[in-house]
């Protein structure tokens, strides 16, 4: 018959596969794709946590600089106790930011297994520990000045 269309059920060696086999192949491909999307999502989560860590440290450094600057610039403009109080609040806030940065970064990521490595805990603690010592030195400096 000339009007017959070719069957889509040729064997595996032909260009077409059985409908059930094609469906199974599609399901496997979707599962592989979903697994890869999950892996990529885990990597994005790690990178987002690092960006959050950087934001906390950046905010802490800005508050530290603002506290030291406030003490120096406000000294002759407002009463001394107000300049010291403003600087103290800003510097204490910077210390909070440094502690919060480590705390947020150390939160374990749920059951995801990312390909991207997280920052080592010893590095986070040592860098932010140093920044906490700088905060204490700045507090001593503004109070003894």
């Amino acid at each position: 018959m000339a009007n017959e269309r070719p069957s889509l059920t040729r064997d595996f060696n032909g260009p077409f596969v059985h409908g059930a086999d094609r469906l199974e192949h599609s399901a496997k491909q979707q599962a592989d794709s979903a697994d890869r999307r999950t892996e990529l999502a885990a990597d994005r989560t790690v990178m987002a946590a690092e960006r959050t860590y950087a934001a906390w440290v950046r905010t802490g450094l800005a508050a530290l600089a603002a506290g030291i600057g406030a003490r120096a610039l406000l000294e002759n403009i407002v009463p001394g106790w107000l300049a010291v109080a403003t600087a103290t609040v800003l510097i204490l806030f910077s210390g909070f930011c440094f502690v919060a940065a480590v705390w947020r970064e150390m939160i374990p990521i749920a059951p995801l297994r990312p390909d991207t490595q997280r920052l080592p805990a010893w590095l986070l603690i040592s860098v932010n520990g140093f920044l906490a010592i700088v905060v204490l030195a700045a507090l001593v400096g503004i109070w003894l000045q």
Side-chain angles (χ1 to χ4, degrees):
M1 299 195 160
N3 289 346
E4 260 187 59
R5 294 184 3 205
S7 170
L8 293 179
T9 57
R10 292 188 185 173
D11 64 356
F12 288 110
N13 296 330
F16 302 107
V17 294
H18 296 282
D21 291 333
R22 187 168 53 175
L23 188 61
E24 181 180 320
H25 175 70
S26 175
K28 182 177 178 350
Q29 191 175 19
Q30 276 185 331
D32 291 344
S33 177
D35 290 342
R36 184 63 184 148
R37 283 193 309 267
T38 302
E39 291 169 5
L40 293 175
D43 291 341
R44 285 191 303 271
T45 302
V46 169
M47 289 184 266
E50 289 178 4
R51 284 192 304 273
T52 303
Y53 169 78
W56 277 106
V57 171
R58 182 174 54 244
T59 302
L61 289 172
L64 180 63
I68 294 169
R71 173 70 164 106
L73 294 175
L74 295 176
E75 190 170 10
N76 296 326
I77 298 173
V78 297
W81 66 269
L82 187 56
V84 171
T86 303
T88 300
V89 167
L90 286 167
I91 292 172
L92 287 175
F93 177 70
S94 73
F96 167 77
C97 288
F98 299 142
V99 170
V102 172
W103 175 68
R104 291 273 306 159
E105 181 66 21
M106 299 297 285
I107 294 173
I109 296 175
L112 303 175
R113 292 182 298 279
D115 295 331
T116 306
Q117 295 294 319
R118 296 184 73 172
L119 292 172
W122 66 267
L123 180 64
L124 295 172
I125 293 170
S126 61
V127 167
N128 285 47
F130 172 74
L131 291 172
I133 292 170
V134 170
V135 164
L136 293 175
L139 280 174
V140 169
I142 65 164
W143 278 94
L144 293 180
Q145 192 179 38

